[in-house]
Amino acid sequence: MSYSSSATATGAQEGTVTKRGFWSSRLAFILAATGSAVGLGNIWKFPYITGENGGGAFVLVYLICIAAVGIPIMMAEVLIGRRGGHSPVNSLRLITQRDKLHPLWKWVGVIGVLAGFLILSFYSVIGGWALSYVGTSASGQFSGQTAEAVGSIFSGLLSDPMTLLTWHTLFMALVMVVVARGVSSGLERATSILMPGLFVLLLIMVGYAMTTGHFGEAVSFLFQPDFSKLTTSGVLVALGHAFFTLSLGMAVMMAYGSYLPKNVSIAKASVTVSVMDTGVALLAGLAIFPVVFANGLEPGAGPGLIFQTLPLAFGQMPMGGLFGTLFFVLLVFAAWTSGISLLEPLVEWLEEQKGMNRTISTLIAGFTCWVLGIASILSLNLWSDVTPLGMFAMFEGKTIFDLLDYLTANILLPLGGLLVAVLVGWFMSKQALQNELSLSEGGFRLWHNTLKFITPIAVLVVFFYNLA
Ligand code: PHE
């Protein structure tokens, strides 16, 4: 049997006859997976961690992590999802039963569902910042402002729990509406409109950045490696971010893969998604850093980078109100499609496991996540001194919000990815893998050996170097 991607046109027919609903086409899967991958991670997190970690050398390590760790794991996750054909936890249970493996492997899916739930709780809060900035921008509040004024708009937002709660609630509601409507009517339609819009908006931003006169400076900041600026914790951040930005290590790609028609090439789809995700991050960097340099702003300003520095630039540029509004609309789109994918695995699991209908599962999962989000909101203001694991040196000074970010991106996701690599690389039958992938022999061996050796070693080395 060969599943060449030239046969993808039949995916549409396949979709209509399947009870569970496949993606209507290969393109729809790619749109949705890219929608998941491209999010706050690309536009908010990538620029600020790149700024904090000194630019070029960090970007290079991040690119290596995408190629050597990210793409092989993405293929493995999509493969597990498609082969299992159920929610991540149940796909893993079925696969391990079929291949007579230890039932404990299904916990890889449980870790994933848990990580997605934890990430969404604070992701939604940041999505809320973006939502609120659409309004702030559109109402012209940034125009002609000083750095202090823009900074105080940001700190004013962070210090106001009720406002944060309102935006967090709205963001979570947006996510829940799409998830409740189900894969083909909800996710697919939303992403097929949102993703192309996002690309266009980003290109407009890069176009503006080229006129600032500081484009060359930004290019050398991003692409000229200076290894003296790279630290071992920077390497962990780059690795963790490769997982975060590609939505790996938490079963999202398993959940989406379970809807992928059999005739679509997993390798091509994974490479396409990864290239687009990386492209968006680099475009975001190219859109943001020229503006940062043109205004003498600090690249290492931290998580507030785009919220505190860009509005300042928007306030000074011609038509800045329009560009600023477009930019934050773009950010909301990106965050929304990622948020959808963070909730999907849990909802899919509740539906199957507990026999609940989709609406009820979405309400339960979304509401619980919303409640947890309140802890993140409070840790930005009233609970800013609360550091629950502060007695451990590595968590010193970390608020609930910081902890959730750190535990998910730097620990749970790499751990989930490591387990997937070990399961697929060392335990699943090679024949079964090749049946799903239908790669050339050389291609298969390259992928399999990378997954078996390079990926686990890279993750473990980086992990222990940092824990030690
Ligand atoms: N990849 C998303 C981003 O870059 C975040 C995400 C992580 C989404 C894990 C799903 C799963 O913003």
Side-chain angles (χ1 to χ4, degrees), residues 124-143:
S124 168
V125 174
I126 306 170
W129 298 358
L131 271 173
S132 95
Y133 268 52
V134 173
T136 317
S137 229
S139 62
Q141 289 179 55
F142 295 133
S143 87

Side-chain angles (χ1 to χ4, degrees), residues 82-361:
R82 185 165 79 181
R83 191 166 153 75
H86 286 79
S87 71
V89 177
N90 284 323
S91 287
L92 284 158
R93 194 167 45 79
L94 286 173
I95 285 178
T96 46
Q97 275 169 5
R98 215 182 292 166
D99 289 356
K100 307 210 168 37
L101 301 176
H102 201 284
L104 275 180
W105 279 111
K106 78 163 198 278
W107 283 89
V108 177
V110 177
I111 294 181
V113 170
L114 177 72
F117 174 79
L118 295 177
I119 292 175
L120 183 59
S121 73
F122 70 86
Y123 202 86
S124 168
V125 174
I126 306 170
W129 298 358
L131 271 173
S132 95
Y133 268 52
V134 173
T136 317
S137 229
S139 62
Q141 289 179 55
F142 295 133
S143 87
Q145 292 291 11
T146 61
E148 285 81 53
V150 168
S152 72
I153 291 178
F154 185 65
S155 51
L157 175 69
L158 293 201
S159 66
D160 179 355
M162 278 325 282
T163 305
L164 289 171
L165 183 65
T166 308
W167 293 115
H168 164 55
T169 308
L170 182 61
F171 186 85
M172 197 62 101
L174 284 173
V175 168
M176 286 165 67
V177 164
V178 177
V179 172
R181 297 186 63 191
V183 163
S184 48
S185 59
L187 301 197
E188 204 176 276
R189 197 174 308 157
T191 46
S192 63
I193 299 168
L194 299 180
M195 287 309 301
L198 189 145
F199 274 107
V200 173
L201 286 176
L202 200 51
L203 285 174
I204 295 174
M205 289 298 300
V206 175
Y208 170 77
M210 284 177 168
T211 69
T212 59
H214 289 256
F215 197 69
E217 204 179 325
V219 169
S220 46
F221 178 74
L222 285 170
F223 299 111
Q224 241 170 41
D226 173 355
F227 286 97
S228 68
K229 292 194 181 139
L230 191 67
T231 59
T232 49
S233 82
V235 176
L236 177 66
V237 174
L239 180 78
H241 189 63
F243 281 96
F244 188 86
T245 191
L246 292 178
S247 305
L248 297 178
M250 58 142 292
V252 166
M253 292 298 164
M254 284 183 211
Y256 279 19
S258 74
Y259 296 104
L260 186 68
K262 284 285 182 203
N263 56 13
V264 174
S265 157
I266 290 179
K268 280 188 200 157
S270 304
V271 170
T272 309
V273 172
S274 306
V275 166
M276 292 207 277
D277 182 76
T278 309
V280 170
L282 297 178
L283 281 181
L286 289 174
I288 286 164
F289 285 108
V291 177
V292 169
F293 293 131
N295 292 275
L297 304 169
E298 181 50 57
L305 183 70
I306 66 166
F307 291 97
Q308 282 174 294
T309 60
L310 280 184
L312 181 60
F314 290 131
Q316 294 161 1
M317 69 171 80
M319 299 210 301
L322 177 67
F323 282 116
T325 310
L326 278 179
F327 181 84
F328 289 108
V329 168
L330 179 160
L331 192 61
V332 168
F333 278 0
W336 189 11
T337 49
S338 300
I340 291 165
S341 73
L342 285 161
L343 193 58
E344 173 67 19
L346 178 57
V347 169
E348 209 185 23
W349 179 74
L350 284 177
E351 264 186 304
E352 277 177 11
Q353 204 67 17
K354 308 281 169 210
M356 291 177 195
N357 76 37
R358 197 166 179 93
T359 311
I360 307 277
S361 331

Side-chain angles (χ1 to χ4, degrees), residues 17-30:
V17 296
T18 314
K19 201 166 119 246
R20 220 172 138 259
F22 279 93
W23 298 104
S24 65
S25 64
R26 170 171 179 267
L27 181 66
F29 168 82
I30 289 190

